[in-house]
Amino acid sequence: TATITISGPPKAVIDSTSALTNLPQVVSPLANDSVSSSVAASGVSIDPASLRLCGSSDVAPACSQTSVTIAGKGTYVLDVATSRITFTPVADYFGSPAPVTYAISDTASLSSTAVYQPVVEPRPAVATADRTTGDQAVVQTVTPVTNDVATPNTTMTANTTRLCAANETAPACTA
């Protein structure tokens, strides 16, 4: 008697990461990819050496790239030795760049694709305490934003500054 194993392609699953501006993000896309249990029982597994990124000239699943750059956003780099993808954003970029498609194959030469989507979070603004000194009953003036650090690609202005009354909690201040 012959045993017939019906084989399907490996299952590539969407990957995502999140980090602050100016920090690289790393994902191991094969960690959540798999072959079906019936296929695995026949000795078929995902071939880590098959992992490739899909560039603009590739037609998935025939992907061949180890590096893909998204202009003005950042660069995806595949480390073929570790099967990890690193997204490095350009300086001060934040947002969701176009995801990169990656392709995998199993040891039976069946292929599948998924995407990796990093999210680059803006660094929060940093407010530094302000202090003035002077004689009693003399008006003291301070420009509170001069020693603060804005979120990248933004500016801080005094007209958006709010003071917190005793019964308020930042950032929901109205005074």
Side-chain angles (χ1 to χ4, degrees):
T1 48
T3 302
I4 299 173
T5 302
I6 298 175
S7 174
K11 182 179 180 185
V13 180
I14 295 170
D15 297 281
S16 64
T17 57
S18 179
L20 292 175
T21 300
N22 299 329
L23 296 176
Q25 300 180 43
V26 180
V27 68
S28 296
L30 300 181
N32 63 349
D33 297 347
S34 61
V35 295
S36 70
S37 57
S38 62
V39 172
S42 68
V44 174
S45 61
I46 292 175
D47 178 7
S50 71
L51 178 62
R52 288 296 181 264
L53 304 178
C54 300
S56 59
S57 62
D58 292 326
V59 177
C63 303
S64 61
Q65 307 301 308
T66 56
S67 179
V68 174
T69 298
I70 308 298
K73 312 292 184 189
T75 301
Y76 296 93
V77 175
L78 169 63
D79 182 335
V80 294
T82 64
S83 299
R84 292 189 298 190
I85 301 170
T86 301
F87 176 74
T88 303
V90 297
D92 296 333
Y93 168 76
F94 60 89
S96 296
V100 68
T101 299
Y102 69 90
I104 58 170
S105 296
D106 61 23
T107 53
S109 299
L110 296 175
S111 300
S112 188
T113 62
V115 297
Y116 164 47
Q117 176 66 73
V119 176
V120 183
E121 302 288 344
R123 290 193 180 272
V126 178
T128 304
D130 297 290
R131 185 178 184 156
T132 64
T133 58
D135 292 332
Q136 185 173 353
V138 174
V139 174
Q140 296 182 40
T141 304
V142 65
T143 305
V145 297
T146 58
N147 62 343
D148 299 335
V149 178
T151 298
N153 299 318
T154 64
T155 56
M156 298 181 100
T157 59
N159 64 351
T160 60
T161 303
R162 301 286 180 258
L163 301 177
C164 292
N167 62 343
E168 295 178 317
T169 304
C173 304
T174 59

